[in-house]
Structure formats: structure tokens, C-alpha cells
Amino acid sequence: EYTPPSLRYPCLCVVAALRGVGEGAWLSSRFTSLLLAPRDWFSLWRLNCRLAALHYVKTRDNGYLLEDKWKFLQEAKEHKIPVTPWLDTGMMVVKHRNEEGGLGFYRYKNVTQGGNWIIQPALHNAGDVASLLPGDAPLSTFRVLTASKLGLDSKMAGAGGDGGNDDEDGGSVRTFTTV
């Protein structure tokens, strides 16, 4: 049965709220929190995606083209910014060692040849980082979450009309966190 998109998220919030009621939360407060002020990474990530899409539709800023990982890698390499390496092989074939009759066979056409897959060698944590982690730990990455007011006009940036330069050094970019 078809559920209109506008009802899907509230319905998911009801289900999630019901699951959390046993943890001592009241259904109504849990539902309200999930719907109006989510704190889980997935909801915040989806919100960020929607806001970024809306911003792109409004501004048509070319920076959003770098959401395409291949375009990002090419642009970074062109500007001599270190990025993960990629292989320039036409196609990669992967087979399961115990499957027979063509089962367990996967073929990936490389983006360098017009395909959709960026084929890269596996990277591993550096020795100092790896020594702090379990043996089967995935690759550790470091991200910096920032916010910029540079795209706002002076009316939107704040009551002072200063273009958003309200931090101590007069800059418009702030670091929120690193993960």
C-alpha cells in the first residue's frame, strides 16, 4: 500500500518511539523528540542532505558538483591535494572462492573507463594508529565539521549586518567538531 512521503517519517517516528518506551521514556515525549528534534546520526545526516539539496537548488553553486566522489578526486588531484589513490584498470572481476556455475561472480567497470565504480587499493591504518585499535578495526578517518556564513547576505547573517563575522577573529567559518 502506498504511503505518501509526507507521512513516512512521522510513521517511522511512531515505530521508533514505541521501541524506546521500555527504556523509561513516555511515548508522547519520545515521539515529539524524534520528530522535531532528532539526535541520532542518521536523522541528522538526512536533514543535512535535504538542506544541502535545497541550498543547491537555490544557489546552483558549482561546489556541489564535488559531491560526486570521482569529480572530487579529480579536482583534488588537479590542485595537488592528497587523496586516496585509485587504479586505472578498465574492469575489475571479483569471484567467490566456493561458488560454481557463474554464481559469486561480480564485474565492476572502472569510472576511469566510463563506469560507475572507483576502484582503489585497500588502505590500512598507520602503525601508530593501528597500535591503539583492535586488529580487525576498519580504516580510521578524520573529519572536521564546520559551518560557514559566507553564503549569507548581511540581512540574513545577523542583526548586526556584519556578514556574519561574529567570532573573535572576525572570520565567518566555525569548527563545530571533529570525528
Side-chain angles (χ1 to χ4, degrees), residues 47-176:
L47 178 61
N48 182 64
C49 290
R50 287 188 173 105
L51 289 172
L54 178 64
H55 189 260
Y56 173 72
V57 167
K58 187 163 177 67
T59 65
R60 297 292 183 201
D61 187 285
N62 285 335
Y64 284 101
L65 298 176
L66 298 179
E67 290 291 320
D68 177 324
K69 291 176 181 155
W70 180 236
K71 289 185 188 315
F72 174 82
L73 288 171
Q74 290 177 306
E75 191 78 17
K77 186 175 182 181
E78 183 179 316
H79 288 88
K80 298 186 181 359
I81 298 170
V83 290
T84 55
W86 63 86
L87 302 175
D88 195 11
T89 182
M91 188 169 295
M92 177 80 57
V93 172
V94 181
K95 298 179 187 178
H96 190 281
R97 68 183 191 171
N98 289 322
E99 296 286 338
E100 297 178 9
L103 300 174
F105 173 90
Y106 301 96
R107 180 180 8 208
Y108 301 96
K109 187 174 181 185
N110 200 330
V111 70
T112 62
Q113 307 298 315
N116 291 320
W117 296 94
I118 301 168
I119 301 175
Q120 299 176 297
L123 299 177
H124 305 281
N125 290 312
D128 289 342
V129 174
S131 70
L132 302 171
L133 301 169
D136 61 348
L139 182 66
S140 293
T141 58
F142 185 80
R143 291 178 172 86
V144 178
L145 178 65
T146 62
S148 171
K149 294 182 181 179
L150 294 171
L152 300 176
D153 63 28
S154 59
K155 291 178 187 174
M156 293 177 63
D162 61 355
N165 296 330
D166 57 359
D167 53 343
E168 59 277 353
D169 66 354
S172 294
V173 178
R174 290 188 176 189
T175 302
F176 286 129

